[in-house]
Amino acid sequence: MRIRKAVFPAAGLGTRFLPATKAQPKEMLPLVDKPAIQYVIEEAVASGVETVIIVTGRGKNAIEDHFDVAFELERTLEERGKTEALDEIRRIANLVRVCYVRQKEPLGLGHAVLSARDLVGDEPFAVLLGDDIIESKVPCLKQLMSIYDEHRCSIIAVERIDRTRTKDYGVVGVAPLQSSGKPPAGQGGRESVHEVRDLVEKPEPSEAPSDLAIIGRYILTSGIFEQLESTAPDKWGEIQLTNGLRSLLRKEKIMAYEFEGKRYDTGNKLGFLKATVEFALRREDLGEEFRRYLRCLAL
Ligand code: UTP
């Protein structure tokens, strides 16, 4: 079955960006002039997703407004002849079919995914986290879909990280690769697909089963819902998706895939700043002048 639906958990508190996130959703913080969540929804649309399910919570109304028709704004832009801005505003409202579901309390990523159960139904679906913005020739989710077509099981996108940083991620243990005798295909190639043997949430480097960290792109079978329902909360009261996936692994095969592309972790301040600078430098309307400005800073 084709992947038609994508879930975007966006009900977290965004504590790392306080006070900016006291009264506005983290997902709406702009990188240059586009909210983080729009980059990720555009990736899903470019991958062929038909329905986007956003999991929201208290104080997240700006996300709904952003993907809705803004009648008065459109009329004003029209009257003032601002056609370029008008086209962009209309394009966003027509991007894709969007549904919303509320997570009443931020009880963890696993709980957020479980909140989307009724809207997803009994079919495989994608999960994308707005914190990870990925630039690649082929959209990252589309890469995962190709791996799904081959293996027909849950697929987790992973990235090799420095072992000292395992405490910031879920980490997968994988089966040793079957040597094909050929040199490794490298990032994004055939040797980038691994069978998952174990998943551990935020392990100490000494206890991490590998250096393959789970990042914010998944294709999941609907079997995950049953597992999440019986997953116990962790010591902070949150139901972790990684723990639900560990239960799923006892019943179904799961593959990890080292995606091709560059990931920006915009969920922390430094990553957010790096992405903002790089995206601005690449902009036709800003890049040249911004580069000149950066050069004259006494760094
Ligand atoms: P994060 O832990 O990165 O987001 O969760 P956060 O909790 O909003 O941010 P910090 O850590 O306090 O700064 C990853 C994704 O899962 C969503 C978040 O919105 C984010 O997109 N999430 C997290 C939920 O939807 N519900 C939750 O209960 C927790």
Side-chain angles (χ1 to χ4, degrees):
M1 192 178 216
R2 236 165 44 74
I3 308 299
R4 304 183 305 152
K5 299 179 182 175
V7 175
F8 290 77
L13 297 177
T15 53
R16 282 171 290 176
F17 281 90
L18 282 169
T21 48
K22 186 180 173 199
Q24 67 168 331
K26 169 176 86 168
E27 296 75 14
M28 289 301 293
L29 296 178
L31 289 126
V32 188
D33 53 9
K34 195 196 283 191
I37 193 167
Q38 191 182 327
Y39 286 89
V40 188
I41 289 191
E42 284 175 351
E43 178 193 320
V45 173
S47 304
V49 162
E50 290 166 12
T51 304
V52 157
I53 299 162
I54 303 181
V55 183
T56 65
R58 256 194 86 253
K60 301 282 182 169
N61 298 352
I63 300 177
E64 294 182 34
D65 289 342
H66 185 70
F67 293 103
D68 199 1
V69 173
F71 181 71
E72 282 166 26
L73 177 62
E74 284 185 19
R75 205 180 47 193
T76 308
L77 291 173
E78 206 164 12
E79 280 166 7
R80 297 187 183 172
K82 301 204 175 226
T83 44
E84 220 173 287
L86 178 64
D87 289 349
E88 178 60 7
I89 293 302
R90 285 197 173 136
R91 187 184 70 82
I92 298 166
N94 293 319
L95 257 184
V96 67
R97 197 168 91 94
V98 190
C99 311
Y100 297 90
V101 60
R102 294 275 286 210
Q103 184 189 19
K104 286 186 192 149
E105 278 181 89
L107 296 177
L109 177 57
H111 184 263
V113 171
L114 188 55
S115 313
R117 183 179 197 165
D118 289 345
L119 291 174
V120 170
D122 188 19
E123 61 181 274
F125 63 103
V127 175
L128 296 95
L129 303 189
D131 282 356
D132 285 327
I133 296 182
I134 297 170
E135 291 221 323
S136 53
K137 276 195 222 112
V138 178
C140 183
L141 181 60
K142 200 166 186 178
Q143 297 176 38
L144 260 69
M145 287 172 171
S146 307
I147 307 296
Y148 173 80
D149 284 344
E150 203 176 318
H151 294 275
R152 299 271 144 188
C153 65
S154 295
I155 315 285
I156 306 172
V158 293
E159 182 176 82
R160 288 201 186 272
I161 53 157
D162 191 303
R163 275 227 175 221
T164 55
R165 298 181 53 220
T166 55
K167 263 197 82 74
D168 296 331
Y169 292 92
V171 178
V172 294
V174 295
L177 284 176
Q178 303 286 323
S179 174
S180 59
K182 284 184 258 154
Q187 201 194 23
R190 276 208 133 270
E191 271 79 355
S192 307
V193 185
H194 313 266
E195 183 164 348
V196 174
R197 288 279 165 85
D198 195 11
L199 301 101
V200 189
E201 180 66 8
K202 300 189 170 65
E204 292 291 342
S206 58
E207 280 154 25
S210 78
D211 60 352
L212 290 170
I214 301 173
I215 62 112
R217 299 290 183 276
Y218 310 76
I219 287 179
L220 302 175
T221 63
S222 57
I224 189 66
F225 294 126
E226 204 185 315
Q227 303 309 320
L228 286 171
E229 220 162 37
S230 52
T231 298
D234 63 12
K235 57 183 168 183
W236 294 280
E238 293 198 345
I239 296 173
Q240 296 299 343
L241 181 58
T242 307
N243 294 339
L245 285 165
R246 192 180 318 113
S247 311
L248 186 68
L249 188 59
R250 289 190 215 112
K251 307 211 155 182
E252 296 177 13
K253 188 169 79 167
I254 299 178
M255 304 299 282
Y257 169 64
E258 288 177 67
F259 66 97
E260 173 278 318
K262 177 162 181 181
R263 178 177 70 99
Y264 295 89
D265 180 1
T266 62
N268 69 76
K269 282 176 219 169
L270 189 59
F272 189 88
L273 285 172
K274 285 180 187 172
T276 303
V277 170
E278 286 193 40
F279 291 5
L281 284 171
R282 266 183 246 142
R283 283 274 293 254
E284 261 180 40
D285 55 340
L286 291 170
E288 208 172 305
E289 203 173 332
F290 188 45
R291 181 168 286 106
R292 240 182 287 133
Y293 169 72
L294 290 178
R295 281 213 180 100
C296 73
L297 289 179
L299 296 172

